[in-house]
mmCIF file of all heavy atoms in Angstrom:
data_model
loop_
_atom_site.group_PDB
_atom_site.id
_atom_site.type_symbol
_atom_site.label_atom_id
_atom_site.label_comp_id
_atom_site.label_asym_id
_atom_site.label_seq_id
_atom_site.Cartn_x
_atom_site.Cartn_y
_atom_site.Cartn_z
ATOM 1 N N GLN A 1 -2.432 13.061 12.563
ATOM 2 C CA GLN A 1 -3.327 12.164 11.707
ATOM 3 C C GLN A 1 -3.155 12.440 10.297
ATOM 4 O O GLN A 1 -3.554 11.569 9.409
ATOM 5 C CB GLN A 1 -4.752 12.358 12.105
ATOM 6 C CG GLN A 1 -5.125 11.920 13.582
ATOM 7 C CD GLN A 1 -5.185 13.196 14.414
ATOM 8 O OE1 GLN A 1 -4.539 14.208 14.186
ATOM 9 N NE2 GLN A 1 -5.987 13.075 15.453
ATOM 10 N N SER A 2 -2.516 13.528 9.875
ATOM 11 C CA SER A 2 -2.441 13.834 8.455
ATOM 12 C C SER A 2 -1.078 13.309 7.933
ATOM 13 O O SER A 2 -0.006 13.364 8.650
ATOM 14 C CB SER A 2 -2.527 15.384 8.203
ATOM 15 O OG SER A 2 -1.377 16.044 8.768
ATOM 16 N N VAL A 3 -1.081 12.720 6.738
ATOM 17 C CA VAL A 3 0.079 12.072 6.101
ATOM 18 C C VAL A 3 0.219 12.757 4.743
ATOM 19 O O VAL A 3 -0.680 12.679 3.921
ATOM 20 C CB VAL A 3 -0.093 10.561 5.987
ATOM 21 C CG1 VAL A 3 1.131 9.957 5.195
ATOM 22 C CG2 VAL A 3 -0.336 9.884 7.304
ATOM 23 N N PHE A 4 1.392 13.331 4.525
ATOM 24 C CA PHE A 4 1.763 13.909 3.236
ATOM 25 C C PHE A 4 2.824 13.032 2.542
ATOM 26 O O PHE A 4 3.188 11.954 3.151
ATOM 27 C CB PHE A 4 2.148 15.352 3.389
ATOM 28 C CG PHE A 4 1.010 16.280 3.517
ATOM 29 C CD1 PHE A 4 0.176 16.234 4.725
ATOM 30 C CD2 PHE A 4 0.673 17.302 2.655
ATOM 31 C CE1 PHE A 4 -0.912 17.062 4.861
ATOM 32 C CE2 PHE A 4 -0.397 18.184 2.824
ATOM 33 C CZ PHE A 4 -1.129 18.093 3.908
ATOM 34 N N ALA A 5 3.324 13.470 1.390
ATOM 35 C CA ALA A 5 4.191 12.548 0.664
ATOM 36 C C ALA A 5 5.439 12.141 1.419
ATOM 37 O O ALA A 5 5.900 10.958 1.309
ATOM 38 C CB ALA A 5 4.570 13.265 -0.656
ATOM 39 N N LYS A 6 6.026 13.076 2.113
ATOM 40 C CA LYS A 6 7.287 12.739 2.801
ATOM 41 C C LYS A 6 7.169 11.742 3.859
ATOM 42 O O LYS A 6 8.177 11.155 4.354
ATOM 43 C CB LYS A 6 7.974 14.011 3.298
ATOM 44 C CG LYS A 6 8.642 14.816 2.253
ATOM 45 C CD LYS A 6 9.312 16.079 2.775
ATOM 46 C CE LYS A 6 10.007 16.961 1.648
ATOM 47 N NZ LYS A 6 10.616 18.178 2.291
ATOM 48 N N GLN A 7 5.878 11.670 4.454
ATOM 49 C CA GLN A 7 5.671 10.688 5.505
ATOM 50 C C GLN A 7 5.128 9.286 4.958
ATOM 51 O O GLN A 7 4.991 8.365 5.725
ATOM 52 C CB GLN A 7 4.546 11.254 6.509
ATOM 53 C CG GLN A 7 4.971 12.496 7.295
ATOM 54 C CD GLN A 7 4.449 13.760 6.710
ATOM 55 O OE1 GLN A 7 3.265 13.877 6.312
ATOM 56 N NE2 GLN A 7 5.223 14.742 6.643
ATOM 57 N N MET A 8 5.033 9.234 3.641
ATOM 58 C CA MET A 8 4.614 8.022 3.052
ATOM 59 C C MET A 8 5.721 6.965 3.022
ATOM 60 O O MET A 8 6.845 7.267 2.670
ATOM 61 C CB MET A 8 4.054 8.234 1.637
ATOM 62 C CG MET A 8 2.760 8.969 1.602
ATOM 63 S SD MET A 8 1.339 7.861 1.902
ATOM 64 C CE MET A 8 1.312 6.960 0.441
ATOM 65 N N PRO A 9 5.355 5.703 3.233
ATOM 66 C CA PRO A 9 6.399 4.627 3.127
ATOM 67 C C PRO A 9 6.509 4.378 1.627
ATOM 68 O O PRO A 9 5.798 4.913 0.726
ATOM 69 C CB PRO A 9 5.727 3.388 3.774
ATOM 70 C CG PRO A 9 4.256 3.706 3.608
ATOM 71 C CD PRO A 9 4.024 5.193 3.739
ATOM 72 N N ASP A 10 7.586 3.740 1.245
ATOM 73 C CA ASP A 10 7.837 3.282 -0.141
ATOM 74 C C ASP A 10 6.852 2.094 -0.346
ATOM 75 O O ASP A 10 7.117 0.987 -0.012
ATOM 76 C CB ASP A 10 9.286 2.843 -0.375
ATOM 77 C CG ASP A 10 9.591 2.524 -1.791
ATOM 78 O OD1 ASP A 10 8.540 2.380 -2.593
ATOM 79 O OD2 ASP A 10 10.715 2.282 -2.211
ATOM 80 N N VAL A 11 5.654 2.395 -0.991
ATOM 81 C CA VAL A 11 4.722 1.342 -1.185
ATOM 82 C C VAL A 11 5.114 0.291 -2.135
ATOM 83 O O VAL A 11 4.605 -0.843 -2.023
ATOM 84 C CB VAL A 11 3.357 1.973 -1.693
ATOM 85 C CG1 VAL A 11 2.743 2.997 -0.719
ATOM 86 C CG2 VAL A 11 3.602 2.705 -3.037
ATOM 87 N N SER A 12 6.162 0.465 -2.888
ATOM 88 C CA SER A 12 6.623 -0.542 -3.800
ATOM 89 C C SER A 12 7.347 -1.675 -3.107
ATOM 90 O O SER A 12 7.606 -2.731 -3.594
ATOM 91 C CB SER A 12 7.478 0.020 -4.872
ATOM 92 O OG SER A 12 8.707 0.533 -4.339
ATOM 93 N N LYS A 13 7.779 -1.339 -1.819
ATOM 94 C CA LYS A 13 8.521 -2.306 -1.073
ATOM 95 C C LYS A 13 7.707 -3.028 0.040
ATOM 96 O O LYS A 13 8.212 -3.744 0.834
ATOM 97 C CB LYS A 13 9.744 -1.692 -0.461
ATOM 98 C CG LYS A 13 10.735 -1.245 -1.493
ATOM 99 C CD LYS A 13 11.972 -0.561 -0.861
ATOM 100 C CE LYS A 13 12.961 -0.041 -1.917
ATOM 101 N NZ LYS A 13 14.124 0.583 -1.369
ATOM 102 N N ILE A 14 6.381 -2.648 0.091
ATOM 103 C CA ILE A 14 5.576 -3.322 1.171
ATOM 104 C C ILE A 14 5.066 -4.653 0.695
ATOM 105 O O ILE A 14 4.481 -4.725 -0.416
ATOM 106 C CB ILE A 14 4.389 -2.430 1.428
ATOM 107 C CG1 ILE A 14 4.814 -0.987 1.978
ATOM 108 C CG2 ILE A 14 3.394 -2.987 2.463
ATOM 109 C CD1 ILE A 14 3.668 -0.047 2.240
ATOM 110 N N ALA A 15 5.266 -5.644 1.507
ATOM 111 C CA ALA A 15 4.758 -6.930 1.138
ATOM 112 C C ALA A 15 3.361 -7.036 1.570
ATOM 113 O O ALA A 15 3.005 -6.758 2.692
ATOM 114 C CB ALA A 15 5.643 -8.053 1.856
ATOM 115 N N VAL A 16 2.527 -7.447 0.583
ATOM 116 C CA VAL A 16 1.092 -7.543 0.914
ATOM 117 C C VAL A 16 0.578 -8.890 0.442
ATOM 118 O O VAL A 16 1.148 -9.462 -0.562
ATOM 119 C CB VAL A 16 0.212 -6.459 0.205
ATOM 120 C CG1 VAL A 16 0.628 -5.044 0.759
ATOM 121 C CG2 VAL A 16 0.442 -6.420 -1.276
ATOM 122 N N LYS A 17 -0.463 -9.390 1.028
ATOM 123 C CA LYS A 17 -1.050 -10.641 0.658
ATOM 124 C C LYS A 17 -2.217 -10.218 -0.292
ATOM 125 O O LYS A 17 -3.184 -9.539 0.149
ATOM 126 C CB LYS A 17 -1.550 -11.444 1.774
ATOM 127 C CG LYS A 17 -2.258 -12.747 1.407
ATOM 128 C CD LYS A 17 -2.725 -13.535 2.675
ATOM 129 C CE LYS A 17 -3.379 -14.750 2.220
ATOM 130 N NZ LYS A 17 -3.896 -15.522 3.433
ATOM 131 N N THR A 18 -2.221 -10.579 -1.538
ATOM 132 C CA THR A 18 -3.174 -10.103 -2.482
ATOM 133 C C THR A 18 -4.186 -11.296 -2.665
ATOM 134 O O THR A 18 -3.850 -12.459 -2.522
ATOM 135 C CB THR A 18 -2.526 -9.796 -3.798
ATOM 136 O OG1 THR A 18 -1.892 -11.001 -4.325
ATOM 137 C CG2 THR A 18 -1.600 -8.686 -3.727
ATOM 138 N N MET A 19 -5.486 -10.843 -2.814
ATOM 139 C CA MET A 19 -6.542 -11.769 -3.100
ATOM 140 C C MET A 19 -6.680 -11.882 -4.680
ATOM 141 O O MET A 19 -6.679 -10.894 -5.331
ATOM 142 C CB MET A 19 -7.814 -11.305 -2.472
ATOM 143 C CG MET A 19 -7.753 -11.227 -0.918
ATOM 144 S SD MET A 19 -7.550 -12.810 -0.199
ATOM 145 C CE MET A 19 -9.136 -13.557 -0.549
ATOM 146 N N PRO A 20 -6.901 -13.109 -5.145
ATOM 147 C CA PRO A 20 -7.116 -13.234 -6.559
ATOM 148 C C PRO A 20 -8.333 -12.508 -7.070
ATOM 149 O O PRO A 20 -9.344 -12.424 -6.239
ATOM 150 C CB PRO A 20 -7.190 -14.735 -6.788
ATOM 151 C CG PRO A 20 -7.577 -15.292 -5.445
ATOM 152 C CD PRO A 20 -7.061 -14.448 -4.466
ATOM 153 N N ALA A 21 -8.360 -12.035 -8.265
ATOM 154 C CA ALA A 21 -9.552 -11.459 -8.804
ATOM 155 C C ALA A 21 -10.630 -12.596 -8.968
ATOM 156 O O ALA A 21 -10.282 -13.724 -8.923
ATOM 157 C CB ALA A 21 -9.273 -10.900 -10.194
ATOM 158 N N ALA A 22 -11.904 -12.111 -9.083
ATOM 159 C CA ALA A 22 -12.911 -13.124 -9.193
ATOM 160 C C ALA A 22 -12.655 -14.068 -10.347
ATOM 161 O O ALA A 22 -12.574 -13.464 -11.534
ATOM 162 C CB ALA A 22 -14.347 -12.448 -9.250
ATOM 163 N N ASP A 23 -12.591 -15.348 -10.134
ATOM 164 C CA ASP A 23 -12.339 -16.259 -11.263
ATOM 165 C C ASP A 23 -13.537 -16.314 -12.231
ATOM 166 O O ASP A 23 -13.391 -16.411 -13.457
ATOM 167 C CB ASP A 23 -12.069 -17.629 -10.785
ATOM 168 C CG ASP A 23 -10.754 -17.825 -10.099
ATOM 169 O OD1 ASP A 23 -9.847 -17.003 -10.458
ATOM 170 O OD2 ASP A 23 -10.635 -18.746 -9.226
ATOM 171 N N THR A 24 -14.689 -16.185 -11.648
ATOM 172 C CA THR A 24 -15.916 -16.248 -12.524
ATOM 173 C C THR A 24 -16.906 -15.170 -12.028
ATOM 174 O O THR A 24 -17.132 -14.992 -10.860
ATOM 175 C CB THR A 24 -16.605 -17.739 -12.426
ATOM 176 O OG1 THR A 24 -15.584 -18.577 -12.725
ATOM 177 C CG2 THR A 24 -17.746 -17.717 -13.346
#
């Protein structure tokens, strides 16, 4: 269950669906 740096994925290459910031 523990994850250290070497087990981390390259987060810069992960495609994510982002939600827009609150417009108002």
Side-chain angles (χ1 to χ4, degrees):
Q1 297 98 334
S2 68
V3 176
F4 283 65
K6 287 182 179 178
Q7 294 102 42
M8 287 284 284
D10 183 350
V11 296
S12 68
K13 295 180 179 179
I14 297 177
V16 295
K17 181 180 179 181
T18 59
M19 297 296 290
D23 288 334
T24 305

